[in-house]
Amino acid sequence: MAACSSPEVIEPEKPEPPVIPEEPSDPLKEEYSYVQVQYRKWQNGTFQPWASDESGKTRIIDNMNWYKATSDYSKTVWGGRVGLNPSSVTGKEGFFRIGQYGGRYYLIDPDNGAFILHGIQHVRPGESSPQEKAFASKFGNELKWSEETGKLIAENHLNCISYGSKRIEKFPQTMRDNLLKPGLQKIAYTENLYLLRTFMWDMYKNLGYAFEDDKYNRLVLLFEPTFAAYIDQLMQEKAALFTGDEHFIGYFLDNELPFASYQNENPQRGIDIKHFLALPDRYQSARNFAEKFMQENGLASPGAISEKDQENFRGSVANYYYRLTTETVRRHDQEHLILGSRLHDWSKYNQKVVEACARYCDLVSINYYARWQPESDFLANLKTWCGTKPFLVTEFYTKAEDASYQGKRYSNTDGGGWLVRTQNNRGEFYQNFTLRLLETKNCVGWIHFEYNDEYSTDGKAVNKGIVSLEYTPYTLFLSYMRQMNSSVHSLIDYYDQK
């Protein structure tokens, strides 16, 4: 491997270390003094009763009895740790890459620091009426908003953000430097290409009819004769936006594609060969793909299809998707990473799908909901299924009951995050979830969903953000986030030396 250039280094700031127990190494104590947090699940259109059976072993840093903070390391301007020598590296030098140090996966920042991503999604002004009103009175313009928001990002040790446009774009110049270069720091960012979804949005313009997304699985569109040329042109245009941009980590291909549904029950929400075989002539190319699979596997009729055949077909479709899309992206951009497709729901639990993603992408990305903490058996599966690739958690959050707007509590009925009682509880969830991710050696980070609280046109508000509808930071929640984010390398020392 070619010699690396000397990294630009900033001395470690006086970190905000975890509060250290008086007896950090007391062998008579258990490793964790667990916290129990009450939560409510939103299911079947209603909140379930308050419970704590799944959160009884919530970990927070302050209650780690054997942990003692360390800070004897230097960091790059990106926050990456200096001095670790990688055993293997993927990517182009001078941009974000992926490497292994002592069996643990990291991103490698442009100055060769070992980088664990802890980010926030959709960092942009809100578009609802309450947010526009608050924006006008508090900031007045994007320049002032971005100055204050950049400081907020830096102070809470968030090292990666996204703009989050549905039509992928880079940060506007009016806010870019304030958000990506706050003070002496540099902040990374990622964006989503939405390759398949954009093709679906543009179908009426391109083909003269709209896709019936409520009737057919959108992955049938992969096989449309015009799809490959469409995404090639799209990628050519979008790659030009990010050429030479060291702040840009890379691309997500899509978001939450329906590869697999719960127990494979719903053909519209998961790949099903019988669904493909029954497609109308309008989608003949996808039907032809299924018929060819039947022939190659000696299946004479739909009645002969076994569960194993269904899984193999699902793997074939996933393989086709990841091969076509990654080859297209790489044809136009050799500088930045390909970050998977944000697998969601039961797709992320499907071995064939995860293996296909890992086969072609630089890492596997998952949106992780409906769990208080990552399941140990799933994390073990990911280690096997991802092979030589790491994974990244790209969405997770909880909502708090105490969030309000103009004296009225949020409804909090939208989204996948569970409801807890307070912002303090949101912080406990954040630390518990990320500590368990950090304990694994093949997770390169996490992205919290999201920057803003949400407000719908029917007046329903949802507490997903690190700031309220009126742009007031949730200081209690952020104190937990800041403590966790600033302690990542110290915690890695603890977990790796246990």
Side-chain angles (χ1 to χ4, degrees):
M1 186 178 72
C4 296
S5 58
S6 298
E8 182 181 358
V9 176
I10 58 175
E11 288 305 312
E13 51 200 88
K14 292 295 182 186
E16 298 173 34
V19 176
I20 305 171
E22 290 182 6
E23 298 177 15
S25 302
D26 186 348
L28 299 179
K29 289 185 178 181
E30 294 293 328
E31 182 177 7
Y32 300 97
S33 297
Y34 295 112
V35 176
Q36 189 174 71
V37 181
Q38 288 193 315
Y39 60 81
R40 298 181 79 179
K41 299 180 183 180
W42 177 259
Q43 292 179 338
N44 302 319
T46 187
F47 277 117
Q48 302 301 302
W50 288 101
S52 58
D53 53 303
E54 296 181 46
S55 62
K57 290 195 172 183
T58 297
R59 301 176 182 178
I60 61 172
I61 294 173
D62 287 354
N63 287 6
M64 293 176 66
N65 298 317
W66 300 351
Y67 167 64
K68 184 175 182 179
T70 59
S71 58
D72 55 343
Y73 52 83
S74 297
K75 296 186 294 184
T76 69
V77 291
W78 305 91
R81 186 170 181 171
V82 173
L84 300 183
N85 297 313
S87 59
S88 61
V89 177
T90 300
K92 184 172 181 179
E93 189 168 359
F95 298 88
F96 276 90
R97 297 174 292 163
I98 293 172
Q100 276 186 287
Y101 303 82
R104 177 179 287 273
Y105 285 90
Y106 291 86
L107 291 170
I108 302 174
D109 68 38
D111 292 325
N112 299 312
F115 182 96
I116 295 294
L117 190 157
H118 27 94
I120 197 83
Q121 190 166 312
H122 294 166
V123 179
R124 57 193 301 174
E127 298 177 351
S128 71
S129 54
Q131 289 164 324
E132 289 179 344
K133 181 180 178 181
F135 183 91
S137 63
K138 192 167 185 176
F139 307 110
N141 56 64
E142 287 185 344
L143 183 63
K144 185 177 180 183
W145 169 81
S146 62
E147 287 175 349
E148 294 197 20
T149 303
K151 291 177 184 176
L152 183 72
I153 290 166
E155 288 169 356
N156 290 287
H157 299 269
L158 293 159
N159 58 18
C160 182
I161 58 180
S162 73
Y163 186 58
S165 174
K166 290 183 178 179
R167 302 281 180 163
I168 181 173
E169 56 186 314
K170 62 198 304 184
F171 277 97
Q173 285 303 127
T174 52
M175 60 179 75
R176 178 182 170 89
D177 282 353
N178 286 330
L179 294 177
L180 299 183
K181 299 178 183 179
L184 297 176
Q185 299 184 49
K186 289 185 178 182
I187 307 297
Y189 73 113
T190 62
E191 298 296 342
N192 198 327
L193 286 164
Y194 290 116
L195 293 175
L196 187 67
R197 190 180 294 189
T198 306
F199 181 76
M200 183 178 72
W201 289 334
D202 289 349
M203 274 189 67
Y204 190 85
K205 180 176 70 175
N206 294 332
L207 301 180
Y209 58 90
F211 182 67
E212 301 145 295
D213 199 33
D214 60 340
K215 191 174 182 181
Y216 304 111
N217 186 304
R218 67 181 61 173
L219 282 159
V220 307
L221 297 177
L222 283 177
F223 307 97
E224 285 297 298
T226 58
F227 178 71
Y230 175 90
I231 64 171
D232 185 78
Q233 178 63 36
L234 178 67
M235 190 59 221
Q236 183 178 358
E237 295 171 2
K238 299 306 181 181
L241 298 175
F242 304 101
T243 300
D245 191 344
E246 66 173 358
H247 290 267
F248 186 60
I249 295 177
Y251 308 92
F252 298 108
L253 300 170
D254 267 297
N255 187 60
E256 299 186 353
L257 293 175
F259 288 107
S261 61
Y262 175 65
Q263 295 184 344
N264 304 324
E265 290 177 345
N266 190 328
Q268 284 72 48
R269 297 182 63 187
I271 296 299
D272 182 292
I273 189 170
K274 295 178 183 178
H275 177 64
F276 271 58
L277 290 170
L279 288 169
D281 289 344
R282 176 177 281 183
Y283 306 114
Q284 182 177 348
S285 296
R287 193 177 66 201
N288 290 345
F289 184 86
E291 290 171 349
K292 182 180 179 182
F293 178 88
M294 294 284 287
Q295 294 169 1
E296 290 176 346
N297 288 272
L299 301 171
S301 68
I305 297 170
S306 66
E307 185 175 332
K308 182 178 179 181
D309 294 325
Q310 287 280 24
E311 282 301 308
N312 288 337
F313 182 69
R314 188 171 291 112
S316 294
V317 174
N319 195 79
Y320 182 89
Y321 167 81
Y322 287 113
R323 179 179 59 79
L324 174 61
T325 55
T326 56
E327 286 177 355
T328 303
V329 172
R330 194 57 71 220
R331 187 159 53 245
H332 298 289
D333 189 337
Q334 292 85 43
E335 295 175 340
H336 301 107
L337 299 174
I338 300 175
L339 307 176
S341 65
R342 304 164 68 93
L343 294 170
H344 174 58
D345 201 28
W346 291 92
S347 294
K348 70 179 180 287
Y349 295 118
N350 188 279
Q351 180 176 353
K352 295 285 188 181
V353 174
V354 173
E355 287 177 343
C357 181
R359 188 174 298 123
Y360 296 103
C361 299
D362 294 309
L363 58 76
V364 174
S365 53
I366 59 174
N367 293 352
Y368 211 157
Y369 293 114
R371 299 291 184 271
W372 185 258
Q373 58 210 17
E375 310 105 302
S376 57
D377 57 345
F378 176 51
L379 294 178
N381 284 339
L382 279 180
K383 191 161 288 189
T384 301
W385 300 346
C386 291
T388 60
K389 305 291 178 67
F391 76 96
L392 171 69
V393 171
T394 37
E395 287 188 25
F396 72 109
Y397 69 92
T398 49
K399 306 169 286 192
E401 187 184 40
D402 62 3
S404 63
Y405 176 62
Q406 295 185 336
K408 183 180 179 181
R409 283 191 171 183
Y410 287 9
S411 66
N412 277 321
T413 55
D414 180 63
W418 294 355
L419 185 70
V420 294
R421 293 195 182 275
T422 66
Q423 298 301 321
N424 191 75
N425 294 150
R426 287 182 79 201
E428 290 166 338
F429 168 82
Y430 180 88
Q431 287 199 0
N432 178 65
F433 206 93
T434 55
L435 281 169
R436 292 172 186 272
L437 291 176
L438 206 58
E439 194 172 23
T440 72
K441 292 192 174 186
N442 63 327
C443 179
V444 293
W446 52 84
I447 301 175
H448 185 269
F449 191 85
E450 55 188 329
Y451 163 72
N452 273 326
D453 278 350
E454 293 184 1
Y455 188 86
S456 60
T457 54
D458 60 2
K460 293 181 178 179
V462 186
N463 178 214
K464 299 180 180 180
I466 60 172
V467 299
S468 72
L469 293 173
E470 297 174 288
Y471 293 93
T472 302
Y474 289 112
T475 54
L476 274 176
F477 173 44
L478 284 168
S479 68
Y480 281 85
M481 181 177 279
R482 180 170 60 252
Q483 183 187 34
M484 180 66 205
N485 295 347
S486 65
S487 303
V488 160
H489 295 296
S490 176
L491 288 162
I492 285 175
D493 286 344
Y494 171 74
Y495 284 124
D496 287 358
Q497 293 171 14
K498 266 204 321 181

